[in-house]
Amino acid sequence: LLGRIDNQVKIRGHRIELGEIEALMRDHPAVREGVVAARDDASGEKRLVAYVVEREGAEQPVASELQSFLARELPDYMVPRIVLSLPSLPLSPNGKVDRKALPNPESHRGLSDARYVAPRNALEAVCSEIWSEVLGVESVGIEDSFLSLGGHSVLAVQVQCRVDEVLPFDTPLADVFEGRTVAGLCEKLRSRAQKNGIDAEQVARIVQEISQLSDEEVAEKITALSVSGQ
């Protein structure tokens, strides 16, 4: 009974048996050993982290690949948001996995399976900054996966709200998940803006310019526009 309690966690209101995830994870052909733990993110919210030891000669189980593998059998809230590859799992004196000795992953893009690709334009830069703020990740590349960086449904709503605060595109929540990456989301935003006669890139450049101004400078520009009748 004590063992079961130790391996049961609660994530966003759902009780989760870590052993169920671990058993399925070890079915992946590239995983020799694997355990799952609940860790606090930068905001203090718990998230699932998978620790894997790769099989010799097998292709590296990148985060998105393993997550997709698990997502075919498990509900969204049971899919680990971060996958961390280790040379070996820490063991206690009696030979069991020492869960307390598992490394606590830092919130940085190094845990994503994609190499860093910098924003290529203003729209991607604005969206990348929004993802960075919401996910608590220092730098987000345009090819980084939302799920691999620790994203989930609650954070997706926050991304949607932040995008709608700064960009007049009326973004559906589905675009965050279906876009999958910053680049993918921006493509959806451009398409939506174009249908409404809006130049998404021009709007993003204006947002960038305003973000660099102080509150006093913004107030002065608004006053100037009002006086000129624009």
Side-chain angles (χ1 to χ4, degrees):
L1 290 176
L2 289 177
R4 179 173 181 176
I5 292 173
D6 287 343
N7 289 301
Q8 187 180 84
V9 298
K10 193 172 184 179
I11 303 288
R12 305 201 305 276
H14 301 281
R15 291 196 178 278
I16 299 172
E17 292 285 353
L18 298 180
E20 182 178 351
I21 306 173
E22 293 169 350
L24 182 59
M25 189 168 66
R26 289 192 286 267
D27 285 342
H28 190 285
V31 175
R32 179 163 61 88
E33 296 179 88
V35 296
V36 179
R39 299 295 192 190
D40 291 338
D41 61 16
S43 65
E45 183 176 350
K46 287 193 178 299
R47 59 183 173 178
L48 293 177
V49 179
Y51 299 87
V52 299
V53 177
E54 304 161 20
R55 292 186 184 278
E56 292 186 10
E59 294 184 3
Q60 182 178 355
V62 294
S64 58
E65 180 190 344
L66 184 57
Q67 288 168 330
S68 297
F69 176 80
L70 296 175
R72 289 196 286 269
E73 300 291 337
L74 300 174
D76 175 72
Y77 62 85
M78 290 182 69
V79 178
R81 295 311 177 198
I82 290 178
V83 177
L84 188 58
S85 180
L86 301 176
S88 62
L89 298 177
L91 302 179
S92 62
N94 62 7
K96 294 184 177 181
V97 175
D98 186 353
R99 293 178 180 272
K100 293 182 180 180
L102 291 169
N104 192 17
E106 298 293 336
S107 293
H108 61 81
R109 70 159 311 283
L111 295 172
S112 171
D113 58 298
R115 64 183 181 84
Y116 178 76
V117 180
R120 300 162 296 187
N121 49 59
L123 182 59
E124 289 179 348
V126 169
C127 289
S128 178
E129 181 63 25
I130 290 174
W131 280 36
S132 178
E133 293 173 0
V134 173
L135 295 171
V137 178
E138 185 176 348
S139 61
V140 176
I142 62 171
E143 296 299 333
D144 288 335
S145 163
F146 180 72
L147 293 179
S148 295
L149 291 176
H152 50 69
S153 55
V154 175
L155 293 178
V157 171
Q158 294 181 31
V159 168
Q160 176 199 27
C161 292
R162 287 287 292 119
V163 170
D164 282 347
E165 282 178 7
V166 300
L167 300 171
F169 302 150
D170 192 23
T171 309
L173 179 60
D175 280 4
V176 179
F177 286 110
E178 293 175 2
R180 204 178 69 81
T181 64
V182 169
L185 174 60
C186 287
E187 283 302 312
K188 289 184 173 294
L189 293 179
R190 287 192 191 92
S191 176
R192 194 171 302 282
Q194 187 175 18
K195 291 178 181 178
N196 290 282
I198 300 173
D199 186 335
E201 196 60 34
Q202 183 179 23
V203 171
R205 285 196 295 269
I206 293 173
V207 169
Q208 284 186 311
E209 292 173 6
I210 293 176
S211 67
Q212 296 172 3
L213 300 176
S214 66
D215 291 343
E216 293 76 12
E217 290 172 323
V218 172
E220 289 175 3
K221 286 187 175 293
I222 293 176
T223 300
L225 289 173
S226 299
V227 171
S228 64
Q230 298 185 38

